[in-house]
Amino acid sequence: MLSKKDAVGSLEVANAMGVSCATASETLKKLYEKGMLRREPWRGVSLSERGIMEVNRILRNHRVFETYAYEVLSISLEDACECANRVELYLSEKIVDSMCRLLGHPKECPHKNSIPEGSSCCMEK
Ligand SMILES: [Zn+2]
Ligand SMILES: [Zn+2]
């Protein structure tokens, strides 16, 4: 994959390098910006069960995708993570589950962050 780093400003480069992986709060912020959450999550609003599921789904998308890109496609972890940031909201469950199965249902991404289980995926051993 082509790195876009040459084309972006130093701030974005710092972000891409320094932010190791999606965190729950970043994910919440993203959901809010997309209009998928009604309130500003960083103000200590407690999440509904659905909201928690949604955050888990996106963290799972991010981490399964980046693990797949890193391990199967041999993409650098930085690029894999950056790319995961772009697609995590849009991946379908079917695709993520397929990647998860192919990877043998990993428990952690390469950053050692835990990967949430898929609702119908990771039960099979
Ligand atoms: Zn990660
Ligand atoms: Zn799985």
Side-chain angles (χ1 to χ4, degrees):
M1 187 192 303
L2 282 176
S3 170
K4 289 254 168 66
K5 270 175 208 128
D6 294 336
V8 299
S10 56
L11 183 66
E12 279 116 304
V13 174
N15 282 341
M17 305 285 286
V19 177
S20 57
C21 193
T23 63
S25 63
E26 283 168 37
T27 305
L28 284 171
K29 208 168 161 183
K30 237 178 253 183
L31 283 174
Y32 177 73
E33 282 159 6
K34 299 268 175 205
M36 290 164 81
L37 281 180
R38 252 166 288 146
R39 284 190 257 171
E40 297 169 54
W42 50 91
R43 288 196 184 152
V45 173
S46 66
L47 270 180
S48 66
E49 203 170 317
R50 237 202 107 204
I52 291 166
M53 278 171 57
E54 187 62 10
V55 169
N56 270 337
R57 187 180 72 82
I58 288 159
L59 287 176
R60 172 171 164 77
N61 286 356
H62 180 105
R63 290 171 185 168
V64 170
F65 180 88
E66 104 187 322
T67 306
Y68 182 86
Y70 178 71
E71 288 187 5
V72 180
L73 309 178
S74 302
I75 288 164
S76 77
L77 187 49
E78 274 160 38
D79 286 345
C81 187
E82 198 193 318
C83 189
N85 275 327
R86 288 167 208 257
V87 300
E88 66 194 10
L89 295 178
Y90 311 108
L91 289 169
S92 77
E93 192 178 1
K94 207 172 170 184
I95 288 172
V96 173
D97 286 357
S98 303
M99 291 191 285
C100 186
R101 209 170 300 126
L102 197 139
L103 291 163
H105 307 293
K107 296 261 177 277
E108 292 178 338
C109 77
H111 298 102
K112 301 283 170 215
N113 291 314
S114 68
I115 298 175
E117 291 189 347
S119 50
S120 58
C121 176
C122 305
M123 305 308 163
E124 50 186 81
K125 283 280 149 63

